[in-house]
Amino acid sequence: MKESSKLLRHAQDIMSAVNDTKFNSAVFLLTGTPGQEDIHLWISIPFCFLYVISIVGNSVILFIIKTDPSLHEPMYIFLSMLAVTDLGLSISTMPTTLRILLFNSREISHDACFAQLFFIHSLSYTESSILLLMAFDRFVAISNPLRYASILTPPRIARMGLFFVLRSVGLIFPLPFLLKWFQYCRANVLSHSYCLHQEVMKMACSDITVNSIYGLSIKLLMVGLDSLLIFLSYVMILKTVLSVASHAERLKALNTCISHLCAVLLFYIPEIGLSVIHRFGNSSSHFLQILLGYVYLLVPPLMNPIVYSVKSKHLRARIIRLFIK
């Protein structure tokens, strides 16, 4: 009897170990467009088109800025940083999104998911920082145009860019390792076609208090602080512009900010909206989550090259000359 009970316990231990092994090798299931699985192939066509335009548009911006010495000015250097970040965001989300739409392959391993969310969040926060630097660039150009070139020198721009990149990477770096410690015992179905930290952590059956507080702190420290400083920059810009006597000069000064304002709105509105929905909007529409998720990572890389090409006379002329050749 004792031997049979020992054998039973041993069998239970083996089954537990097997379950743990299966459990640890579990995958997350990504979501494309629920209820539209039959037409995923057709939906993939506009998505492929959007990704191609994003990658080609940002690559053209980078090529023109690099090859034209007349565009080696602070504003265009910041624009090239923005283009690199947008390229990274497109490349980070494209594989899983198109894999779902083209092949209905929804599974993603934990490690691949953690790696993807690391790149998405670090690049998103880097873009937020670059938008802040571009706001500072516009402030210096309008409020102190005579010292513009001496204040924003290439070495200083490089140091500022490196600092913000290291800030983003350094603050996001612990997140994948914190998530890796968790056990995931719930229905691991994510709401998007890519991984986000605020959603993946909710799949854990462990205490996620540390992750939740740390994630919110990063969001406030980076997106919250950056957006506040951008707002203050534009308050100072507006104050400077209103002190200009000529109406034509006011319009000319404000016109140089329109491209940047469009980029800021395209980035921050879906970013803040998606964060609020994931943290506080449990009763919100699932379709709204999916829509904001696509807008958040697809629209800025797509629209930024278009907006800046339309508004920048020098850049537009170089693009036209490039394609005419």
Side-chain angles (χ1 to χ4, degrees):
M1 192 71 181
K2 288 182 179 179
E3 288 181 0
S4 63
S5 62
K6 285 181 181 179
L7 287 171
L8 182 61
R9 280 198 301 271
H10 183 60
Q12 289 173 342
D13 290 338
I14 292 174
M15 288 299 294
S16 177
V18 170
N19 288 336
D20 285 342
T21 303
K22 289 180 180 179
F23 177 82
N24 290 328
S25 63
V27 295
F28 292 115
L29 294 177
L30 300 170
T31 301
T33 51
Q36 307 296 326
E37 287 79 5
D38 294 341
I39 57 171
H40 266 182
L41 190 61
W42 293 104
I43 296 173
S44 69
I45 295 173
F47 272 84
C48 289
F49 185 65
L50 293 176
Y51 276 123
V52 168
I53 292 178
S54 298
I55 291 171
V56 171
N58 286 292
S59 299
V60 167
I61 295 285
L62 284 171
F63 174 76
I64 288 174
I65 293 174
K66 179 175 172 47
T67 56
D68 191 341
S70 66
L71 297 179
H72 294 176
E73 299 176 3
M75 182 179 76
Y76 295 106
I77 294 173
F78 289 129
L79 179 56
S80 65
M81 292 180 184
L82 188 67
V84 170
T85 308
D86 284 336
L87 272 174
L89 281 172
S90 295
I91 294 169
S92 298
T93 57
M94 181 172 58
T96 52
T97 302
L98 294 184
R99 196 180 68 186
I100 292 170
L101 295 176
L102 291 172
F103 308 109
N104 198 30
S105 177
R106 298 175 57 199
E107 295 184 353
I108 183 171
S109 68
H110 287 179
D111 289 339
C113 186
F114 300 154
Q116 186 183 46
L117 70 86
F118 167 76
F119 284 110
I120 288 175
H121 287 295
S122 57
L123 286 167
S124 295
Y125 291 149
T126 300
E127 180 152 344
S128 174
S129 301
I130 292 169
L131 291 173
L132 172 60
L133 290 176
M134 295 175 88
F136 177 66
D137 167 77
R138 292 298 83 207
F139 169 68
V140 174
I142 291 172
S143 65
N144 205 342
L146 297 178
R147 296 188 57 210
Y148 176 68
S150 62
I151 293 173
L152 291 173
T153 59
R156 187 169 291 166
I157 292 171
R159 285 196 297 271
M160 290 190 296
L162 181 61
F163 168 76
F164 282 118
V165 169
L166 292 177
R167 182 186 73 157
S168 302
V169 172
L171 289 174
I172 297 299
F173 190 74
L175 291 182
F177 297 99
L178 290 171
L179 290 170
K180 200 172 178 63
W181 282 100
F182 293 152
Q183 291 184 327
Y184 298 90
C185 54
R186 297 176 186 173
N188 298 338
V189 181
L190 304 177
S191 301
H192 306 289
S193 57
Y194 47 83
C195 297
L196 294 175
H197 170 255
Q198 57 264 38
E199 190 177 21
V200 171
M201 69 177 181
K202 292 180 181 178
M203 300 293 108
C205 53
S206 310
D207 183 13
I208 61 169
T209 304
V210 173
N211 270 57
S212 184
I213 293 173
Y214 185 68
L216 183 60
S217 300
I218 294 174
K219 185 75 70 175
L220 293 174
L221 178 63
M222 301 185 75
V223 175
L225 182 61
D226 289 350
S227 57
L228 176 63
L229 292 175
I230 290 171
F231 174 75
L232 292 176
S233 297
Y234 272 98
V235 169
M236 301 287 286
I237 288 171
L238 194 59
K239 184 179 177 181
T240 303
V241 168
L242 291 176
S243 65
V244 177
S246 169
H247 179 68
E249 288 179 355
R250 291 180 191 174
L251 290 178
K252 185 179 178 181
L254 289 174
N255 191 50
T256 63
C257 301
I258 290 176
S259 302
H260 179 254
L261 275 172
C262 290
V264 168
L265 294 174
L266 285 170
F267 176 79
Y268 281 106
I269 291 175
E271 160 80 21
I272 295 171
L274 193 62
S275 298
V276 170
I277 284 176
H278 274 302
R279 289 190 177 273
F280 310 109
N282 294 327
S283 60
S284 62
S285 167
H286 188 56
F287 174 76
L288 182 61
Q289 285 190 25
I290 294 170
L291 180 64
L292 269 179
Y294 284 130
V295 171
Y296 164 52
L297 290 179
L298 275 177
V299 173
L302 173 71
M303 293 304 298
N304 285 339
I306 296 172
V307 169
Y308 276 96
S309 300
V310 169
K311 290 302 298 178
S312 172
K313 181 173 64 178
H314 301 295
L315 194 59
R316 185 172 66 249
R318 281 291 287 113
I319 291 172
I320 293 170
R321 206 183 317 158
L322 175 70
F323 282 102
I324 286 176
K325 283 184 180 181

